Amino acid sequence: MKIEEYGIGNVRSHVRYFRNILNVLPSRYSYLDSQRLVIAQFALGGLSFLGAIDQLQNKEEFIEWIYSLQSPHGGFFGSKIMKELPSHLAKPHIASTFAAVQCLILLGDELDRIHIPELLSWIKSLMNPDGSFQGAADASEPTDLREFTYCAAFLIHIFGTSNFSDEDRKRAVQYIISCQSPDTAFGQVPGAEGHGALTFCALASLKFFGCLHSDEGVLSAAELKRIVRFCVNRQSEGIHGRPHKPDDTCYTFWTCAALKLAQPSIDISEKLDKERVLSFVRSCVDENIGGIKKLNAKNQYADATHSYFALAGLGVIFDDVMPEYMLKKDLTKRVLRIRNRVKESKLDSSNSLLSRAGNLALSVSFAILSVYATYLLREPLTSA
């Protein structure tokens, strides 16, 4: 189903809204200056969902800006201001790194300038003994299943597990399972209330680690069924994330994506009233500037976060978005191709290293034999 058929207002207004976000931010966004990469992901992702990403004339300029924020030691800074802080404060962040990779994918980049060995070493350094992940190397933020574990799992899935042992993976999976609440959904940390967004992050991370619907699956059929029920019960008109909370457009993605991951074969329209979901999202469209608000209220304005996740959620409902990647299905094919290329390049490097080692061994052997032959020729021949 094309985005125009969703009936969520003037598509050109939404496109103009996201393009404006890329060019200049309103003053109310000033507190997010350190997270420009994340805002860029929402804007570029929104354009992608609207089928308008190719309208950008300066893709290469954006790509160069993103790579300029890469740390030589692995990861990406959230903005220029973060990169230029004193060295003891300038720390790349896992959420910014996830956003950078997403932006590069959306812009058509092949990710061939990412420092993969340094990136994987850096991610490994963020892993705590309990299997959770920090956001940055200074451990200034508490662990967070949504922002940190999911981002790390995505990056490891794309760029490989060479720095992560089976034991590391088991610890990460065990931490995710420890965040499961009594209602079988997942919370932000162990013991926290079940939550639609965290449930998505848990299920997507388990899928990236190969532990969801596989021989190594760690959730039983009964648990997955209860997660489906938890997600279905989050609809009133639109969708919310927790019991007794108001509907919120961003949960159009979080909760519907969790539902799809829990039961991939599901037709969401059989479980949710998608016309009511559409009606709620339509009521939150900002008719003045484009974009989508958190909820339909007088004091609400459209923002990049809710605009992005509302469109992503509709994409999941209408089977146009691959939930675990947060990308349109046609883009995920290229992501998998890049992932395979990374795997092959590592194999080629390994084979090349072995080949060079073998050639070196042969060269040393010939050198020894040559020296020995020279020594023998210098000795006087004895007569019989």
Side-chain angles (χ1 to χ4, degrees), residues 338-356:
I338 291 172
R339 181 171 179 256
N340 290 335
R341 190 200 71 217
V342 170
K343 279 186 175 181
E344 290 168 3
S345 66
K346 288 182 178 179
L347 182 61
D348 289 343
S349 298
S350 177
N351 289 339
S352 176
L353 183 61
L354 289 172
S355 177
R356 288 199 298 272

Side-chain angles (χ1 to χ4, degrees), residues 162-195:
S162 55
N163 287 60
F164 295 85
S165 65
D166 286 342
E167 185 58 36
D168 291 329
R169 184 175 68 103
K170 288 177 182 176
R171 281 192 294 127
V173 169
Q174 187 55 49
Y175 177 76
I176 295 169
I177 295 301
S178 74
C179 294
Q180 197 167 18
S181 64
D183 58 10
T184 318
F186 289 81
Q188 183 170 333
V189 293
E193 178 185 10
H195 188 286

Side-chain angles (χ1 to χ4, degrees), residues 40-187:
Q41 179 209 339
F42 292 154
L44 292 170
L47 290 172
S48 175
F49 297 141
L50 293 166
I53 193 76
D54 289 333
Q55 292 184 23
L56 290 177
Q57 301 297 317
N58 53 345
K59 285 185 180 180
E60 288 302 320
E61 183 181 331
F62 277 115
I63 289 171
E64 292 306 315
W65 169 69
I66 293 165
Y67 276 116
S68 76
L69 298 175
Q70 184 173 203
S71 166
H73 307 297
F76 286 75
F77 298 96
S79 65
K80 183 180 179 182
I81 195 171
M82 295 302 293
K83 183 179 181 180
E84 294 179 349
L85 287 172
S87 58
H88 68 287
L89 295 174
K91 306 291 182 185
H93 197 280
I94 194 76
S96 301
T97 305
F98 169 82
V101 173
Q102 284 265 324
C103 288
L104 291 170
I105 291 168
L106 290 162
L107 291 165
D109 186 73
E110 291 293 312
L111 310 184
D112 48 7
R113 285 193 277 166
I114 288 181
H115 308 319
I116 295 176
E118 292 82 1
L119 172 65
L120 293 175
S121 295
W122 173 71
I123 295 173
K124 177 65 181 291
S125 74
L126 301 180
M127 192 175 193
N128 296 314
D130 66 356
S132 63
F133 287 86
Q134 303 169 27
D138 57 6
S140 60
E141 301 168 279
T143 58
D144 184 324
L145 189 62
R146 173 164 48 185
E147 194 166 314
F148 305 156
T149 297
Y150 167 72
C151 293
F154 172 87
L155 294 167
I156 294 167
H157 170 74
I158 298 294
F159 295 109
T161 58
S162 55
N163 287 60
F164 295 85
S165 65
D166 286 342
E167 185 58 36
D168 291 329
R169 184 175 68 103
K170 288 177 182 176
R171 281 192 294 127
V173 169
Q174 187 55 49
Y175 177 76
I176 295 169
I177 295 301
S178 74
C179 294
Q180 197 167 18
S181 64
D183 58 10
T184 318
F186 289 81

Side-chain angles (χ1 to χ4, degrees), residues 89-356:
L89 295 174
K91 306 291 182 185
H93 197 280
I94 194 76
S96 301
T97 305
F98 169 82
V101 173
Q102 284 265 324
C103 288
L104 291 170
I105 291 168
L106 290 162
L107 291 165
D109 186 73
E110 291 293 312
L111 310 184
D112 48 7
R113 285 193 277 166
I114 288 181
H115 308 319
I116 295 176
E118 292 82 1
L119 172 65
L120 293 175
S121 295
W122 173 71
I123 295 173
K124 177 65 181 291
S125 74
L126 301 180
M127 192 175 193
N128 296 314
D130 66 356
S132 63
F133 287 86
Q134 303 169 27
D138 57 6
S140 60
E141 301 168 279
T143 58
D144 184 324
L145 189 62
R146 173 164 48 185
E147 194 166 314
F148 305 156
T149 297
Y150 167 72
C151 293
F154 172 87
L155 294 167
I156 294 167
H157 170 74
I158 298 294
F159 295 109
T161 58
S162 55
N163 287 60
F164 295 85
S165 65
D166 286 342
E167 185 58 36
D168 291 329
R169 184 175 68 103
K170 288 177 182 176
R171 281 192 294 127
V173 169
Q174 187 55 49
Y175 177 76
I176 295 169
I177 295 301
S178 74
C179 294
Q180 197 167 18
S181 64
D183 58 10
T184 318
F186 289 81
Q188 183 170 333
V189 293
E193 178 185 10
H195 188 286
L198 280 309
T199 300
F200 160 78
C201 291
L203 297 180
S205 299
L206 289 175
K207 185 166 185 179
F208 288 143
F209 286 131
C211 295
L212 188 54
H213 302 287
S214 69
D215 293 339
E216 297 184 59
V218 292
L219 295 175
S220 67
E223 287 176 307
L224 290 168
K225 187 175 180 180
R226 288 197 293 274
I227 290 172
V228 168
R229 183 174 63 189
F230 172 87
C231 294
V232 169
N233 287 340
R234 301 284 66 77
Q235 179 172 23
S236 51
E237 290 302 318
I239 299 173
H240 48 273
R242 292 176 287 164
H244 313 300
K245 292 291 184 178
D247 292 339
D248 179 328
T249 53
C250 74
Y251 291 103
T252 310
F253 173 78
W254 294 121
T255 305
C256 288
L259 175 59
K260 192 69 175 175
L261 286 170
Q263 190 176 336
S265 62
I266 201 170
D267 180 350
I268 289 181
S269 62
E270 293 179 0
K271 297 290 185 180
L272 298 175
D273 186 338
K274 62 184 182 184
E275 288 304 320
R276 281 163 56 201
V277 176
L278 269 172
S279 178
F280 175 74
V281 173
R282 287 176 189 137
S283 74
C284 298
V285 169
D286 193 316
E287 299 289 354
N288 296 316
I289 63 172
I292 299 169
K293 299 177 284 187
K294 175 179 180 177
L295 45 85
N296 185 15
K298 289 183 179 180
N299 63 339
Q300 291 289 319
Y301 299 93
D303 65 82
T305 305
H306 289 85
S307 300
Y308 168 83
F309 282 115
L311 293 176
L314 294 178
V316 171
I317 290 172
F318 291 103
D319 203 30
D320 189 40
V321 167
M322 189 72 79
E324 64 269 32
Y325 290 107
M326 296 188 186
L327 295 168
K328 293 184 72 171
K329 286 187 172 181
D330 59 346
L331 275 177
T332 60
K333 294 176 183 176
R334 191 161 61 82
V335 172
L336 294 175
R337 177 174 55 77
I338 291 172
R339 181 171 179 256
N340 290 335
R341 190 200 71 217
V342 170
K343 279 186 175 181
E344 290 168 3
S345 66
K346 288 182 178 179
L347 182 61
D348 289 343
S349 298
S350 177
N351 289 339
S352 176
L353 183 61
L354 289 172
S355 177
R356 288 199 298 272

